[in-house]
Amino acid sequence: MDTQIQIQIFLVVSSIATGVFFAWIIYVIIKSRIEKRLTESSLRDSEKRFRKFLSSVTDVVYSYDYRRKSYDFISPSFESLTGYNLKELKTDPTGLWEKIVHPDDLQRLRAENNDLIQGKRNPESHFAEYRILQKGGQVIWVNERKEIEFNQQGLPDHVAGVITNITKRVQAELELKSHKDHLEEIVADRTSELEIRNEQLEKEVRARKKTEIALKESEKRFRILVSTIPDIVYEIDPEGYFLFINDSIKNLGYDPQDLIGKHFTEIIYERDVATVSRDSFLSNKDKGDSKWSIPRFFDERRTGSRRTTGLLLRVVRNNAVSPDPQTGEELVFCEINATGLYDGISSGGGRHFLGSVGIMHDISERIKAEKAIQESEQRYRELFDNMSNGVAVYTPLNQGEDFIIKEFNKAGERIHRVSKASLIGQSVLNALPGVKDFGLLETFRKVYNTGVPERNRDSFYRDERTVGWRETYIYKLPSGEIVSVFDDITERKQMETQLFHMATHDPLTGLPNRTLFYDRLTLAEANARRNKRGFMVMMIDVDYFKEINDNYGHGGGDKVLKVVGERLGKNLRKDDTVARIGGDEFVILVQTITDLKEAQKFADHISDCIREPLFIDDKELSISTSMGYALYPKDSNDTSDLIKQADAALYRVKSSGRNNHLHYDHSSDKT
């Protein structure tokens, strides 16, 4: 009984527990739905408040979706910051931003953004400062802070950021930096001035102490020094009278003691004193015992306006040994360097002039050397202008790209048919335009760059003034200038051409001779081998030529040979050759005939042309020829054999009655 009661109690309790459990589950579900609705409503309200807040701030807040390539949100302050409306941004977000960002900052921002996407920079917090171009054209500075979110594949998903206008801050920083730099410059300048002034004062103090200690010793050393140097050392008072002069004046025949108290112009050549004076009476300081007024160079030194350096005067030697026949005096060229002496160290008008000290240096030998150089230069000029070769000197321009004509001798004027005055200072390309085609300009550049002399042999020169052959030698001077030595070899070239023509042509007919024919035959063989082509060699004899000579004389025979040569030449092409190789023997090289039919047709045509009558001493004469020919490479691929074969065919024609032509038949060894 107790057990059943317990079971019943357990079942009742279990039923109650089960009901309570299901009731709790229903409660939880209902509560969850109510809370979700409340949360969504709260989020919508929060988002509205957030958007309203963002609309009121001056910073630009944005959220960009990389997948959709569009902005989820961007605050209206974008329009006031950039001058562009949000519609323009949403239409082309990427293109507009690249248009807005300053060109000088765009490349850097692209690089930084790529680094963020590739993980080279911390994507969670990044900021950058750059410039943007407002729609109105103004430039402003902004600071951008942004964070990038990546998806599970590691690709950028969203980016959120804030853009702040920092133009006023940047301007303030720049103004502050400029002000700071200016203050630093002022401080540095003042510090430097103070250091320099302090150093000067220290030097002056040390100098005064040294001067006080060494003053007496200095004068003693000076006396010893000036007595040992070969130059004349002197001191004069403010009016120009000698206070001191060393023993070197004895070399000019004067006693130093005799000059003390005399005006320094007493030893100067009269014309030189007049040259350096402003006028005949420059100063009122003349003591009466001097012949000359104080010259300009001394008066200017007395007023402290300048020092005298390198003044050239002639000093009259006392007791002349070799007087000049014109002046009756022996003059010594001296160079004078002098400086004024003043009391105190102050500058300006407060200084008091005490006199002057100077050195006279005998430059007679230098004058002689300069004269010798001038004479040598004159001899060089005479040689330069009278050389039979043209000589020109050029100064390089633009590292040797062009050259300026510096010198041009008379032979060069003759050769180029131009005046020197029209060339000097001109570009060689403008003055002598033929040098470029002539190849001389490139040679100039080569010699200028390498320093190695070059020779242009047998070059043909042409411009609007002259034409002819030139031979030129070009070398470089230590100064960097280029020298060309050139000659007109036109006559020599013409003579060489005539001699070459005489050596390679028949003097009677003007046709190539045997030597030139064999040269051309060798070239024809080489071309035929290279191009796999053929050619024909034809040997020709004038029939009964001995009888023509007997009947009409050698003059008549010569005329026949000339006519035959002319008729053969007129019926050949430019690349073909007809030559006279003997008395009445001719040979033809035809490079366009390669087969037997063409050869026979050509031979018939030549025979017909030769048969046309001609007149000798008003007498009509008909002539004929015998011809034998061979083909390359059909008959032989050796030119020597080819000549023999054509000659054999000719012999066969002459043996069988003449006035005919035959081809050499190699296969049967018959013609």
Side-chain angles (χ1 to χ4, degrees):
M1 185 63 178
D2 293 335
T3 302
Q4 291 180 352
I5 292 173
Q6 289 177 356
I7 291 172
Q8 289 178 357
I9 293 170
F10 174 75
L11 291 175
V12 172
V13 172
S14 296
S15 289
I16 294 171
T18 301
V20 172
F21 175 72
F22 281 109
W24 179 79
I25 290 176
I26 292 171
Y27 167 76
V28 170
I29 292 173
I30 292 172
K31 181 182 179 182
S32 175
R33 290 180 178 178
I34 292 172
E35 288 178 349
K36 180 179 180 183
R37 290 178 181 176
L38 290 173
T39 301
E40 290 176 351
S41 176
S42 176
L43 287 173
R44 283 194 294 272
D45 293 340
S46 177
E47 184 178 355
K48 288 180 180 179
R49 290 193 300 271
F50 181 67
R51 288 180 178 271
K52 185 176 181 181
F53 167 74
L54 293 179
S55 300
S56 64
V57 298
T58 58
D59 293 347
V60 178
V61 182
Y62 67 88
S63 174
Y64 182 78
D65 190 332
Y66 275 105
R67 294 172 300 173
R68 292 189 291 114
K69 295 184 179 178
S70 64
Y71 286 92
D72 295 331
F73 172 79
I74 186 164
S75 60
S77 54
F78 170 81
E79 296 181 349
S80 61
L81 182 69
T82 66
Y84 295 90
N85 58 50
L86 294 176
K87 184 178 179 180
E88 292 177 280
L89 176 64
K90 292 178 179 180
T91 301
D92 184 13
T94 303
L96 184 58
W97 270 112
E98 293 201 350
K99 181 179 179 182
I100 291 173
V101 176
H102 196 282
D104 293 343
D105 298 334
L106 184 59
Q107 190 67 26
R108 173 175 60 85
L109 291 180
R110 285 176 178 168
E112 291 178 358
N113 193 56
N114 289 335
D115 290 347
L116 285 170
I117 293 173
Q118 296 173 8
K120 296 180 180 179
R121 292 174 179 263
N122 184 7
E124 297 179 356
S125 179
H126 175 73
F127 72 92
E129 291 185 356
Y130 56 92
R131 291 162 290 179
I132 64 174
L133 296 172
Q134 292 183 321
K135 194 171 185 178
Q138 291 182 326
V139 178
I140 63 172
W141 280 87
V142 297
N143 178 292
E144 181 180 8
R145 300 178 183 84
K146 63 183 177 181
E147 293 185 3
I148 299 178
E149 295 180 2
F150 295 87
N151 58 23
Q152 294 179 352
Q153 288 76 31
L155 299 175
D157 193 31
H158 279 82
V159 59
V162 179
I163 301 175
T164 304
N165 187 343
I166 61 169
T167 303
K168 291 183 179 179
R169 192 202 77 191
V170 172
Q171 290 175 345
E173 289 175 351
L174 292 175
E175 290 177 1
L176 182 61
K177 184 178 183 302
S178 176
H179 183 65
K180 180 183 177 182
D181 292 343
H182 180 63
L183 289 177
E184 289 179 351
E185 288 179 2
I186 293 175
V187 172
D189 291 342
R190 293 297 297 164
T191 302
S192 178
E193 290 176 3
L194 291 173
E195 290 176 351
I196 293 172
R197 184 55 182 161
N198 185 53
E199 184 179 351
Q200 289 176 345
L201 290 174
E202 291 178 354
K203 287 182 178 179
E204 290 175 2
V205 171
R206 290 195 298 268
R208 284 187 179 183
K209 290 181 179 180
K210 289 182 179 179
T211 303
E212 292 172 358
I213 296 173
L215 186 58
K216 293 181 180 180
E217 295 181 359
S218 176
E219 184 178 355
K220 182 179 179 181
R221 287 195 299 270
F222 172 75
R223 296 286 181 178
I224 296 174
L225 175 63
V226 298
S227 64
T228 57
I229 62 175
D231 290 335
I232 299 169
V233 181
Y234 66 89
E235 181 182 359
I236 54 179
D237 68 10
E239 282 73 39
Y241 292 87
F242 283 112
L243 298 175
F244 167 80
I245 191 165
N246 70 346
D247 288 344
S248 296
I249 194 65
K250 292 179 179 179
N251 296 328
L252 300 182
Y254 294 97
D255 187 328
Q257 296 302 320
D258 292 341
L259 291 178
I260 301 302
K262 290 185 178 181
H263 201 272
F264 77 98
T265 54
E266 294 284 351
I267 64 173
I268 304 299
Y269 182 46
E270 179 178 354
R271 292 184 181 178
D272 288 356
V273 174
T275 300
V276 297
S277 298
R278 284 200 186 96
D279 49 46
S280 58
F281 295 96
L282 186 87
S283 174
N284 295 322
K285 299 294 184 179
D286 191 359
K287 290 185 177 180
D289 59 345
S290 174
K291 295 187 295 182
W292 313 114
S293 61
I294 299 175
R296 171 174 56 85
F297 79 92
F298 177 72
D299 182 70
E300 289 182 345
R301 189 170 66 255
R302 180 174 60 79
T303 59
S305 61
R306 71 177 176 90
R307 300 172 67 181
T308 300
T309 56
L311 179 65
L312 182 63
L313 293 175
R314 285 171 289 184
V315 176
V316 179
R317 183 186 293 275
N318 194 25
N319 301 324
V321 178
S322 303
D324 185 272
Q326 296 180 351
T327 64
E329 297 176 315
E330 184 176 353
L331 304 178
V332 178
F333 287 91
C334 290
E335 183 181 72
I336 299 178
N337 296 282
T339 186
L341 299 175
Y342 304 90
D343 59 348
I345 59 173
S346 61
S347 59
R351 295 188 299 174
H352 180 253
F353 182 60
L354 301 178
S356 178
V357 293
I359 296 177
M360 292 184 184
H361 177 62
D362 186 351
I363 59 170
S364 300
E365 294 300 323
R366 191 184 82 185
I367 295 297
K368 290 180 182 178
E370 290 175 352
K371 184 178 179 181
I373 291 174
Q374 291 175 354
E375 293 174 351
S376 175
E377 185 176 350
Q378 183 62 31
R379 287 194 297 271
Y380 159 76
R381 175 60 59 185
E382 293 293 331
L383 176 64
F384 179 80
D385 284 336
N386 291 285
M387 288 179 64
S388 59
N389 297 99
V391 182
V393 181
Y394 305 91
T395 301
L397 186 66
N398 297 329
Q399 299 298 317
E401 286 300 313
D402 196 1
F403 296 86
I404 302 300
I405 301 174
K406 183 179 180 181
E407 290 288 350
F408 213 81
N409 73 345
K410 293 179 181 178
E413 293 180 283
R414 171 180 52 79
I415 293 172
H416 280 280
R417 299 180 182 178
V418 65
S419 68
K420 175 181 177 180
S422 65
L423 297 179
I424 300 302
Q426 298 293 318
S427 162
V428 68
L429 285 173
N430 295 332
L432 304 173
V435 297
K436 189 171 184 180
D437 297 333
F438 181 36
L440 190 61
L441 181 61
E442 284 304 315
T443 307
F444 279 6
R445 291 170 176 170
K446 183 178 179 181
V447 172
Y448 174 77
N449 290 320
T450 64
V452 179
E454 291 282 340
R455 186 184 296 276
N456 272 22
R457 296 182 180 275
D458 303 352
S459 299
F460 192 72
Y461 180 88
R462 179 193 301 273
D463 63 23
E464 68 274 7
R465 292 184 301 267
T466 183
V467 60
W469 289 90
R470 303 282 188 271
E471 183 176 39
T472 310
Y473 178 74
I474 305 100
Y475 63 94
K476 184 177 181 181
L477 294 174
S479 62
E481 296 169 322
I482 298 298
V483 178
S484 67
V485 182
F486 53 94
D487 198 8
D488 186 349
I489 58 170
T490 303
E491 293 184 2
R492 191 186 78 189
K493 290 294 294 185
Q494 291 173 346
M495 182 63 70
E496 290 175 353
T497 301
Q498 292 175 1
L499 292 175
F500 177 78
H501 188 273
M502 292 172 61
T504 57
H505 288 75
D506 174 48
L508 176 64
T509 62
L511 297 175
N513 61 13
R514 183 185 299 271
T515 300
L516 183 56
F517 175 79
Y518 276 101
D519 286 343
R520 294 185 178 178
L521 181 62
T522 301
L523 291 175
E525 180 186 14
N527 290 332
R529 290 181 184 275
R530 182 171 57 255
N531 300 319
K532 296 182 179 180
R533 296 175 57 186
F535 58 85
M536 179 185 75
V537 173
M538 176 179 285
M539 303 291 290
I540 302 174
D541 272 7
V542 179
D543 293 336
Y544 307 109
F545 182 71
K546 184 177 182 301
E547 288 76 4
I548 293 174
N549 266 334
D550 293 341
N551 295 330
Y552 296 95
H554 289 289
D558 289 346
K559 183 174 182 179
V560 169
L561 293 176
K562 289 180 181 180
V563 170
V564 171
E566 290 175 358
R567 291 177 178 178
L568 290 175
K570 289 179 180 180
N571 288 275
L572 296 181
R573 296 182 181 180
K574 183 179 179 180
D575 294 336
D576 300 332
T577 300
V578 57
R580 182 186 175 211
I581 60 174
D584 64 332
E585 295 179 85
F586 296 85
V587 60
I588 295 177
L589 169 64
V590 186
Q591 300 197 48
T592 56
I593 293 179
T594 57
D595 60 46
L596 186 57
K597 289 183 179 181
E598 291 179 350
Q600 292 172 343
K601 184 178 179 180
F602 176 80
D604 289 337
H605 176 70
I606 292 296
S607 296
D608 292 340
C609 292
I610 298 297
R611 289 193 190 100
E612 292 181 6
L614 59 92
F615 291 89
I616 300 177
D617 298 332
D618 296 328
K619 296 180 181 179
E620 183 175 329
L621 174 66
S622 295
I623 58 176
S624 63
T625 56
S626 298
M627 295 179 284
Y629 52 90
L631 300 176
Y632 177 95
K634 175 179 175 60
D635 298 319
S636 176
N637 57 7
D638 181 85
T639 54
S640 298
D641 291 341
L642 208 65
I643 293 292
K644 293 177 182 178
Q645 291 168 353
D647 194 51
L650 171 64
Y651 179 77
R652 186 69 175 175
V653 172
K654 294 172 71 173
S655 300
S656 59
R658 306 186 182 185
N659 192 22
N660 198 2
H661 57 80
L662 288 176
H663 166 246
Y664 181 81
D665 188 355
H666 182 74
S667 60
S668 60
D669 201 28
K670 294 181 180 180
T671 55

